[in-house]
Amino acid sequence: MFFHYVDLSWRSLKRTPMVSLLMVIAIAVGIGITMTSLSVYHMMSADPIPSKSTQLHHVQLQTMDDGRDWWSDDNMPYQVTYPDAINLLNADLPYRRTAMIAAGFAVHVDDSDMKPFLERARVANADLFSMFNLEFIYGSAWTRNDEDSQASVVVISQSLNDTLFQGENSVGKTINLDGMTVRIVGVIKDWPTYVKYYDLNNGAFRDPEHIFLPFSLIAPNEIITWGNSNGWKAENVRGFQDKLKSEQFWVQFWVDLPTDEDELAYGQFLMSYMAEQQKLGRFARKELDFALRDVKQMMVYREVVNEDNKILVMLSFMFLAVCLANILGLLLAKFLRRAPEVGVRRALGASKTQVFIQHLVEVGLLGVIGGILGIFIAQAGLWGMRKSNDAYTVIADMDLTMLLSAPAIAVSVCILAGLYPAWLVCRTTPATYLKSQ
Amino acid sequence: MLNMNGISKVYQTEMVQTHALRDFDLQVNEGEFIAVTGPSGSGKTTFLNIAGVLEPFTQGQYLLDGVDIGKLNDNQRADIRNQKIGYIFQGFNLIPDLNLYENVEVPLRYRGIKAAERKRRIESSLEQVGLASRAKHLPQQLSGGQQQRVAIARALAGKPRFLLADEPTGNLDSLMARQVMELLEQINRDGATIVMVTHDPELARRAPRNIQVVDGQIADFSLYQGNPAAVVGA
């Protein structure tokens, strides 16, 4: 019977082409605009690493003296100092962890045909790869021994490997980063994320890096950060070694805490670490404080999805509601005009439920058509966003969830709009229209 | 077959109360062919709508094939209409988007009859009314008489025991009207009980039993009663 209803619905739509077209356009425009904003919101707010998002924790330490303010919601610096990062890395604890900074280099290889180019890099510890589920296609991460010996090693992404070595296994080959020659020990698949949740200090929606260097190379090679460096007190920082010893915040620190107990234990460790540092003359404050946030908490804390995006989604749904009201009016007119036919069907044995379902199938079909058309409008909207602003290049896109959601939302809103007209027409008393036909 | 006792129907608006039927008593036996006549506004169509379970009544008791119609809910009433009753309307009431085959199919689909059986019944009933070759035509491609025959085929396809006809020849010329009437008589001879509302005294005379409705009541129950064969032959 369902397919019969679909057939009847299709005929009904063809019978009143202008009204049907108007309704489809109303749905398509409403869905198109809603899906455009919803897709962006969805991509912004989606969990970027579902299997690990609750166990990867970002560390923040309140190292400022009493009376100093930071601009974060909880008055807590977003990053840690280099000395703190080194101390936390060296702590004798069983948790995987990595300090990291953003950096960048002029990349060149021993090939006269290839011009040097600038490339952003991430300087981190070897645990980064296993913590953030980065998958190797050639080689592996550098070793702890490489870190301790400050070996000049590097891991590159598949994209960069394709550019430099045409996709061949490049492990063992060398590349030059500024003046530093580094040996490739591994090639990873491109970091599969569109949100740079591991470093939200310089824009959440930039491409992940393609070069990864050991954190231990920062000091000997004086690798400067391409990210933020923030100071909170007057210090005499005259050179790179001064910066390493300073109280400036420029390092991100992540630790892998699989259980709640681990999180609690690590929190206690941080408190004792800060108390120890206090004895050494740092952390001049009455109350010590720290923050451990998992990936999703961090995204909320740093407002990856800001208020503007939420308002935009709300506005688009309000627009969809306006479309819905128009569709409701058109459906009312169309269905009530068909009351005589419904009277005949009722006389011939159709129950109210059957008539009701038949009309809901018709609005559902409208929703499917409008939803599919809406996807094209949304794609056009997203294309426009990508072209208008580089920040949207990665996130103004529809994933499979959103592609499937579009017709689902369209059908749902159409059925919502069709409930009242369908209910009204199914209540047709059979006798009313039979004589007047 | 049909047993109405003290049926009354009141249409109520804010200002006016209209008694369409009052204390209406009627018994129709299995296999009868009854013509219902009466002036306009006398309550003939209201009687037919109530008899056909198309609208509720205000008071009284109505038993159709032993079922107390007054106690049925809407879905049960729909089932009764679908399974026991066939309708033929003055305006044919065919669905314009559906071809003849599909029009005849409508009540069968609601009854949940399987496709093969539907096909058999549709072809058989279209054959019976002489329109099998035009099954794919749309109603508007047919004459009035042909459309009425399709409506009869639609009523017949469900194999109803009770056929209600409201002015079935009202929109037809005399030749077409005679053909439709002959078809109804044949259907009656095949066993269906028929109640036909008509303004046409000549058609009424062809029915074996006549009742006349005046002011919502049966006025003269035996006016045209007599030998059916004699009436038809007159």
Side-chain angles (χ1 to χ4, degrees), chain A residues 1 4-5 7-8 11-12 15 341 343-355 358 426 429-437, chain B residues 45 49 53-56 74-75 78-79 81-82 87 89-91 93-99 102-103 105-107 109-110 154 166-167:
Chain A
M1 204 64 179
H4 177 59
Y5 290 151
D7 178 42
L8 290 178
R11 291 172 193 228
S12 168
R15 194 193 313 165
E341 180 192 318
V344 174
R345 289 185 176 278
R346 295 273 288 132
L348 296 175
S351 65
K352 281 181 183 173
T353 310
Q354 286 170 318
V355 172
Q358 180 192 328
C426 85
T429 307
T432 309
Y433 297 97
L434 297 177
K435 196 79 175 175
S436 61
Q437 274 236 325
Chain B
T45 297
N49 286 340
V53 200
L54 292 171
E55 64 178 300
D74 191 80
N75 283 344
D79 282 345
R81 285 195 295 272
N82 185 244
Y87 301 90
F89 307 101
Q90 179 179 1
N93 285 342
L94 299 175
I95 298 172
D97 296 337
L98 306 183
N99 62 32
E102 292 162 335
N103 262 290
E105 191 178 30
V106 171
R109 277 195 179 271
Y110 290 126
R154 181 175 64 187
D166 189 4
E167 305 273 10

Side-chain angles (χ1 to χ4, degrees), chain A residues 182-224:
Chain A
V182 289
R183 177 173 49 90
I184 298 169
V185 293
V187 178
I188 58 164
K189 285 186 178 174
D190 290 355
W191 196 327
T193 186
Y194 42 83
V195 181
K196 282 183 74 174
Y197 58 94
Y198 53 90
D199 180 3
L200 295 167
N201 298 295
N202 298 103
F205 303 108
R206 301 177 71 176
D207 278 337
E209 295 81 0
H210 295 279
I211 296 172
F212 302 88
L213 288 164
F215 195 75
S216 59
L217 292 184
I218 290 176
N221 292 284
E222 298 195 351
I223 297 172
I224 57 168

Side-chain angles (χ1 to χ4, degrees), chain B residues 12 21 84 150 171 199 214 232:
Chain B
Q12 179 84 50
L21 289 183
K84 291 189 186 292
V150 177
N171 286 352
H199 270 114
V214 178
V232 171

Side-chain angles (χ1 to χ4, degrees), chain A residues 348-416:
Chain A
L348 296 175
S351 65
K352 281 181 183 173
T353 310
Q354 286 170 318
V355 172
F356 187 69
I357 291 172
Q358 180 192 328
H359 286 82
L360 285 192
V361 169
E362 183 169 334
V363 294
L365 182 64
L366 271 174
V368 170
I369 299 169
I372 290 169
L373 197 59
I375 289 175
F376 288 104
I377 293 175
Q379 291 290 3
L382 292 168
W383 177 82
M385 289 179 81
R386 286 195 295 271
K387 289 293 168 194
S388 67
N389 191 332
D390 287 345
Y392 290 111
T393 303
V394 184
I395 54 168
D397 198 7
M398 274 181 122
D399 63 6
L400 185 64
T401 309
M402 285 293 108
L403 275 174
L404 296 176
S405 299
I409 293 174
V411 169
S412 303
V413 297
C414 280
I415 287 180
L416 194 64

Side-chain angles (χ1 to χ4, degrees), chain A residues 12-323:
Chain A
S12 168
L13 297 186
K14 287 195 294 184
R15 194 193 313 165
T16 51
M18 278 312 294
V19 175
S20 302
L21 185 68
L22 276 175
M23 286 193 284
V24 166
I25 288 172
I27 298 160
V29 171
I31 287 294
I33 288 174
T34 304
M35 294 313 294
T36 302
S37 63
L38 200 59
S39 294
V40 173
Y41 181 86
H42 171 72
M43 295 294 270
M44 282 178 163
S45 60
D47 187 343
I49 182 165
S51 62
K52 289 279 188 67
S53 58
T54 55
Q55 69 183 71
L56 296 178
H57 286 76
H58 180 263
V59 177
Q60 290 171 264
L61 299 175
Q62 182 51 284
T63 61
M64 295 185 301
D65 296 346
D66 270 334
R68 299 286 183 166
D69 290 324
W70 201 253
W71 55 75
S72 59
D73 288 346
D74 55 357
N75 197 32
M76 188 83 76
Y78 293 134
Q79 302 181 94
V80 297
T81 64
Y82 183 81
D84 285 327
I86 294 294
N87 290 336
L88 296 181
L89 284 172
N90 291 337
D92 186 16
L93 291 168
Y95 308 119
R96 288 184 297 181
R97 54 206 183 262
T98 182
M100 60 170 84
I101 65 166
F105 303 95
V107 181
H108 57 108
V109 291
D110 297 331
D111 180 351
S112 55
D113 292 338
M114 183 170 286
K115 290 180 182 173
F117 56 91
L118 274 180
E119 186 64 61
R120 286 181 297 113
R122 186 134 297 263
V123 188
N125 294 92
D127 282 348
L128 170 93
F129 302 102
S130 57
M131 285 172 70
F132 291 89
N133 291 348
L134 299 180
E135 199 179 331
F136 280 86
I137 52 174
Y138 299 126
S140 62
W142 56 80
T143 63
R144 178 59 62 89
N145 197 36
D146 288 333
E147 289 187 346
D148 292 343
S149 63
Q150 298 177 336
S152 296
V153 291
V154 68
V155 168
I156 62 173
S157 73
Q158 187 172 9
S159 293
L160 188 59
N161 190 57
D162 289 345
T163 305
L164 297 176
F165 304 106
Q166 293 73 50
E168 289 178 7
N169 185 349
S170 58
V171 171
K173 294 181 178 175
T174 58
I175 58 173
N176 302 304
L177 303 177
D178 291 345
M180 175 172 56
T181 300
V182 289
R183 177 173 49 90
I184 298 169
V185 293
V187 178
I188 58 164
K189 285 186 178 174
D190 290 355
W191 196 327
T193 186
Y194 42 83
V195 181
K196 282 183 74 174
Y197 58 94
Y198 53 90
D199 180 3
L200 295 167
N201 298 295
N202 298 103
F205 303 108
R206 301 177 71 176
D207 278 337
E209 295 81 0
H210 295 279
I211 296 172
F212 302 88
L213 288 164
F215 195 75
S216 59
L217 292 184
I218 290 176
N221 292 284
E222 298 195 351
I223 297 172
I224 57 168
T225 178
W226 278 27
N228 291 353
S229 279
N230 303 109
W232 57 273
K233 64 190 283 190
E235 290 182 289
N236 191 15
V237 179
R238 290 178 178 272
F240 193 79
Q241 296 306 318
D242 291 337
K243 182 181 176 75
L244 294 182
K245 293 175 199 158
S246 75
E247 292 293 335
Q248 288 182 10
F249 311 121
W250 56 291
V251 180
Q252 302 98 49
F253 198 90
W254 286 85
V255 57
D256 190 344
L257 303 170
T259 68
D260 290 346
E261 290 73 28
D262 293 331
E263 188 180 339
L264 194 65
Y266 197 78
Q268 287 167 349
F269 156 73
L270 289 176
M271 287 303 282
S272 60
Y273 166 73
M274 286 189 290
E276 189 184 296
Q277 291 294 309
Q278 229 173 5
K279 288 177 194 166
L280 299 173
R282 299 177 65 209
F283 296 29
R285 50 188 303 115
K286 285 180 188 164
E287 290 186 11
L288 298 171
D289 199 6
F290 69 91
L292 273 176
R293 290 186 172 88
D294 67 23
V295 173
K296 291 175 85 172
Q297 289 168 336
M298 197 61 193
M299 286 173 70
V300 173
Y301 174 66
R302 295 303 302 272
E303 296 180 345
V304 170
V305 182
N306 61 31
E307 207 58 34
D308 290 350
N309 296 110
K310 292 174 185 169
I311 290 170
L312 193 64
V313 171
M314 269 172 38
L315 285 174
S316 66
F317 269 101
M318 285 167 68
F319 180 76
L320 185 61
V322 173
C323 295

